[in-house]
């Protein structure tokens, strides 16, 4: 926690010692309402909720049941495998109602709760999409990791799945369309196939939801037509492999990525941790290095480990596999370490309290 | 009463000490003991057994009276020491690494 200056930080916790918190996120309409996905290989999935800004937590429902037959997807070896619920990768509280929250799961499936996490209903139109038998897992499993609710177009949702691609619904999740046009993935037998792209993260600015930014397995991409088509905006990035991408809170054309060397080497180029910022919506990128380690740095930055706050001077945050959390309180120019000896950071989110 | 010993993660989840006691009516088996445990502590549903198959999670083990009962029939009666309360039924996180 910090004040608006974001210079001095207090670290609370650990809150769920011994467990992995895959993702935690606060409700936009209620700063005290937080949801957390707690998981271990041993004891499975739990969902925790806080109604007091993280001071106390209560477990809510972990009953994630597929609606109907599970169906199959492709396994790593290309053979069919039944869908199986493993864990929740991402929790996305609704933009309008703190009691409504979406959960993106592995194997790729989408759930919604309208009672603050006390019960979950699968939005089965996605998992039963005609393309689902062709979906395949990425290295970390077949996860649904991005859920975007478009406030200005009621009923419009975007999700992204590794490794299937981007899907859009215009009817509140009843039906879904594939939105992978112009994506290229060289690990596919047909690199321009409609299905099978390993999207790492999507980001939008709420004021301009038809513009979507994407960090893909390789390639940073942009759509100006709500996902109908995509253009490559990697431009002068020294490498365009990475996991997170985010948009400045007040400048819809200012975006941030943290590239790592390659699909085989998940660490920054030359041991220098650099956030790249584009102020023109991509293609032209500038390196942000002040306050970040510029030698001997070999950490990774995971897809949900980047966030922005909504203060007047936008703060940017990211966490690393080495347990550091960094903040720039001035839109990316200067960085400082909030905490540097945590376990590997799986997610970073910001909640601004009144 | 049947004594059940829980691993640390599940103690924290259920907000209890290492050992809890549950009342089982009828035959004392893995299934009836865990049914009773989940009834007393609903937060443990899905944490010991998979919610859809109701089978033991693969990294959870069941021990009692010095024996590994993990792969026994869930409806097989547990040892008499567990039934009498002389020994606890142990729910253990399988060792991995380290």
């Amino acid at each position: 926690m910090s004040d608006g200056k974001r210079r001095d930080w207090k670290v609370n916790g650990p809150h769920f010692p011994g467990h992995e918190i895959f993702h935690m996120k606060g409700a936009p309409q209620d700063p005290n309402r937080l949801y957390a996905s707690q998981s271990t290989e041993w004891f499975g999935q739990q969902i925790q909720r806080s109604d007091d800004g993280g001071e106390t937590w209560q477990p809510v429902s972990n009953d994630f049941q597929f609606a109907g037959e599970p169906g199959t997807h492709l396994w790593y070896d290309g053979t069919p495998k039944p869908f199986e619920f493993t864990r929740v990768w991402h929790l996305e509280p609704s933009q309008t109602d703190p009691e409504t929250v979406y959960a993106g799961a592995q194997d790729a499936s989408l759930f919604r709760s309208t009672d603050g996490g006390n019960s979950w209903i699968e939005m089965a139109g996605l998992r039963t999409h005609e393309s689902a038998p062709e979906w395949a897992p990425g290295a970390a499993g077949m996860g649904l990791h991005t859920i975007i609710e478009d406030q200005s177009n009621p009923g419009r949702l975007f999700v992204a799945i590794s490794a299937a691609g981007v899907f859009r619904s215009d009817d509140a999740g009843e039906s879904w369309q594939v939105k992978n046009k112009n994506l290229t993935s060289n690990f596919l037998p047909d690199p321009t196939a409609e299905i099978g792209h390993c999207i790492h993260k999507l980001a939008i600015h709420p004021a301009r939801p038809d513009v979507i930014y994407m960090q893909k397995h390789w390639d940073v991409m942009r759509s100006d037509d709500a996902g109908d088509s995509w253009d490559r905006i990697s431009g002068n990035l020294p490498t365009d492999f990475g996991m997170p991408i985010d948009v400045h809170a007040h400048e819809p054309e200012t975006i941030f990525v943290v590239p790592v060397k390659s699909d085989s080497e998940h660490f920054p180029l030359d041991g220098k941790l650099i956030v790249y910022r584009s102020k023109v919506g991509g293609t032209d990128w500038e390196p942000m290095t002040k306050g970040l380690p510029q030698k001997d740095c070999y950490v990774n930055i995971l897809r949900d480990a980047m966030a922005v706050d909504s203060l007047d001077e936008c703060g940017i945050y990211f966490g690393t596999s080495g347990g550091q959390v960094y903040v720039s309180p001035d839109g990316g120019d200067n960085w400082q370490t909030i905490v540097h000896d945590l376990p590997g950071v799986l997610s970073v989110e910001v909640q601004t309290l009144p | 009463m049947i004594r059940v010993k829980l691993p640390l993660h599940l103690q924290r989840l259920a907000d209890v000490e290492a050992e809890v006691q549950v009342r089982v009516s009828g035959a004392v088996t893995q299934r009836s003991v865990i049914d009773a445990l989940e009834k007393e502590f609903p937060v443990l549903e899905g944490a010991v057994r998979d919610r859809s198959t109701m089978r033991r999670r693969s990294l959870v083990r069941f021990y009692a009276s010095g024996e590994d009962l993990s792969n026994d029939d869930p409806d097989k009666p547990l040892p008499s020491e567990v039934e009498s309360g002389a020994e606890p039924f142990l729910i253990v996180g399988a060792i991995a690494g380290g």
Side-chain angles (χ1 to χ4, degrees), chain A residues 250-331:
Chain A
H250 314 301
E251 299 170 14
E253 290 284 292
T254 298
I255 52 178
F256 302 88
V257 293
V258 194
V260 291
K261 188 173 174 185
S262 73
D263 51 354
S264 303
E265 295 167 288
H266 290 182
F267 49 76
L269 269 181
D270 305 320
K272 298 177 180 178
L273 182 56
I274 301 177
V275 175
Y276 281 83
R277 178 176 72 190
S278 172
K279 293 192 131 183
V280 292
T283 304
D284 184 15
W285 300 86
E286 48 181 335
M288 306 283 114
T289 61
K290 284 183 194 163
L292 297 174
Q294 294 304 299
K295 64 172 190 173
D296 305 333
C297 182
Y298 294 96
V299 296
N300 193 15
I301 297 86
L302 298 183
R303 73 187 84 224
D304 258 333
M306 186 178 232
V308 299
D309 68 33
S310 53
L311 296 179
D312 288 346
E313 195 167 24
C314 178
I316 324 295
Y317 304 76
F318 70 95
T320 75
S321 60
Q324 298 88 31
V325 180
Y326 296 101
V327 58
S328 166
D330 56 6

Side-chain angles (χ1 to χ4, degrees), chain A residues 146-286:
Chain A
T146 303
I147 304 165
I148 296 175
E149 196 184 41
D150 178 350
Q151 260 181 291
S152 51
N153 289 296
R156 177 168 282 184
L157 290 167
F158 298 93
V159 300
I161 295 168
S162 295
V166 178
F167 295 81
R168 189 180 87 197
S169 172
D170 293 321
D171 55 10
E174 285 289 311
S175 65
W176 296 84
Q177 306 142 47
V178 183
K179 294 292 172 190
N180 291 338
K181 194 177 172 189
N182 303 345
L183 300 185
T184 302
S185 296
N186 289 326
F187 60 78
L188 292 172
D190 170 7
T192 58
E194 188 179 27
I195 287 291
H197 300 280
C198 194
I199 316 302
H200 286 178
K201 200 68 201 169
L202 303 179
I204 67 165
H205 190 282
R208 217 182 42 172
D210 282 354
V211 178
I212 311 173
Y213 300 103
M214 172 196 293
Q215 173 70 65
K216 195 161 65 62
H217 195 75
W218 290 99
D219 300 331
V220 182
M221 307 292 291
R222 167 186 177 129
S223 171
D224 287 294
D225 50 15
D228 287 341
S229 64
W230 295 90
D231 293 307
R232 190 164 178 264
I233 55 166
S234 302
N236 63 340
L237 287 174
T239 161
D240 61 5
F241 188 94
M243 303 299 288
I245 187 164
D246 220 331
V247 188
H248 191 286
H250 314 301
E251 299 170 14
E253 290 284 292
T254 298
I255 52 178
F256 302 88
V257 293
V258 194
V260 291
K261 188 173 174 185
S262 73
D263 51 354
S264 303
E265 295 167 288
H266 290 182
F267 49 76
L269 269 181
D270 305 320
K272 298 177 180 178
L273 182 56
I274 301 177
V275 175
Y276 281 83
R277 178 176 72 190
S278 172
K279 293 192 131 183
V280 292
T283 304
D284 184 15
W285 300 86
E286 48 181 335

Side-chain angles (χ1 to χ4, degrees), chain A residues 22 37 45 47 64 85-91 103-106:
Chain A
F22 250 64
S37 170
Q45 179 69 49
I47 302 291
F64 293 90
F85 174 84
T86 307
R87 61 171 62 89
V88 170
W89 278 33
H90 185 93
L91 289 164
Q106 175 189 346

